[in-house]
Amino acid sequence: ALISVPRDELPELESGEYYLFDLIGFNILDEKKDSIGNVKDVTSLPASNVLVTDYNNKEVLIPLVDDFIQLIDFENRTIIIHVMEGLLDQ
């Protein structure tokens, strides 16, 4: 079942907090500022939440953890990631 809640009825967030769905549409960049793709979705998996994007015509899952995420810039709607070996070869 799909549950829909108007945004104005969601709990107010503390400074520095965000809802995962707010990241959809953000541009994902590597450390050199090269575009990886846009966030298509954010999915919750047992180990962590992951950003879903397309890279070289393949769906790629990027763990939403400090080892990968360097910066989430809400003003510019970008996420800068550290690309570890094999991350984009899924």
Side-chain angles (χ1 to χ4, degrees), residues 20 42-50:
L20 292 176
V42 181
T43 302
S44 294
L45 297 179
S48 69
N49 295 316
V50 294

Side-chain angles (χ1 to χ4, degrees), residues 18-26 39 42 51 64 72 74 79:
Y18 56 88
Y19 288 107
L20 292 176
F21 62 80
D22 288 333
L23 301 177
I24 295 172
F26 276 41
V39 178
V42 181
L51 303 173
L64 197 53
I72 299 176
F74 282 88
I79 299 171

Side-chain angles (χ1 to χ4, degrees), residues 11-85:
E12 198 168 314
L13 298 174
E14 299 290 326
S15 177
E17 293 183 328
Y18 56 88
Y19 288 107
L20 292 176
F21 62 80
D22 288 333
L23 301 177
I24 295 172
F26 276 41
N27 189 20
I28 302 170
L29 307 173
D30 65 15
E31 295 160 306
K32 299 174 189 170
K33 306 293 193 277
D34 293 328
S35 182
I36 303 296
N38 290 325
V39 178
K40 294 186 338 180
D41 197 6
V42 181
T43 302
S44 294
L45 297 179
S48 69
N49 295 316
V50 294
L51 303 173
V52 181
T53 190
D54 287 327
Y55 179 75
N56 288 340
N57 298 316
K58 294 186 300 185
E59 186 172 84
V60 174
L61 305 178
I62 301 169
L64 197 53
V65 296
D66 291 341
D67 288 344
F68 294 99
I69 307 300
Q70 292 189 334
L71 175 70
I72 299 176
D73 181 349
F74 282 88
E75 184 175 328
N76 295 304
R77 297 182 51 79
T78 58
I79 299 171
I80 299 175
I81 66 166
H82 172 66
V83 180
M84 293 183 181
E85 187 175 333

